[in-house]
Amino acid sequence: QVQLVESGGGLVQAGESLRLSCAASGSIFSINAMGWYRQAPGKQREFVARIISGGSTNYATSVKGRFTISGDHAKSTVYMQMNSLKPEDTAIYYCSVEYTNRQVWGQGTQVTVAS
C-alpha cells in the first residue's frame, strides 16, 4: 500500500505562483509514473501533468508553458511548480501514482486563484 502526502495548495491572486508537493511512501517500487489531476466544482477530474519513471513528462494543453512537473527519486516526491496562475486553475489538485494495472490517489489539496 502506498501513502501519499500532498502539500502546497492555497489562495493566491491571478498571475502568482504556487508549488505543490506529493511525497510517496510504502509501496513505491514498480511505480510507473506520478502526476497531478484536478477537479473544479461541477466538473470531472482532469489530467494536469505527469512524470514517467524515465523522466519524461506530459502536460495538459491548458497548463503547458505555465506548470512544470519534476521529481526527486531519492525522496519519492513529485513537485509541480505552477506559474502565471489563472482563476480557471481553481480546483482540488490530486496527486496520482500509476502502477501497471492500478492508480492511487492522494487526498487532494485546494488551489484557489482569485481574479
Side-chain angles (χ1 to χ4, degrees):
Q1 192 79 356
V2 65
Q3 292 80 43
L4 302 175
V5 178
E6 300 157 327
S7 61
L11 170 64
V12 296
Q13 298 294 315
E16 294 183 342
S17 300
L18 279 174
R19 188 193 194 208
L20 303 183
S21 300
C22 175
S25 61
S27 298
I28 60 174
F29 298 104
S30 301
I31 290 177
N32 293 331
M34 292 184 68
W36 296 91
Y37 287 67
R38 66 187 181 187
Q39 187 166 16
K43 295 188 177 181
Q44 291 188 332
R45 190 172 299 187
E46 64 176 7
F47 167 76
V48 179
R50 65 198 283 260
I51 183 165
I52 302 171
S53 58
S56 59
T57 56
N58 305 123
Y59 295 93
T61 301
S62 60
V63 307
K64 198 172 293 185
R66 299 188 298 122
F67 292 10
T68 302
I69 191 168
S70 61
D72 185 332
H73 185 74
K75 296 181 179 179
S76 299
T77 299
V78 64
Y79 306 95
M80 186 163 70
Q81 178 67 39
M82 305 186 295
N83 297 330
S84 302
L85 282 161
K86 304 175 181 180
E88 51 264 42
D89 294 319
T90 295
I92 299 174
Y93 283 70
Y94 295 92
C95 180
S96 160
V97 170
E98 299 175 28
Y99 297 89
T100 299
N101 55 7
R102 64 190 177 103
Q103 189 170 17
V104 179
W105 302 97
Q107 80 282 1
T109 184
Q110 177 70 47
V111 171
T112 302
V113 184
S115 57

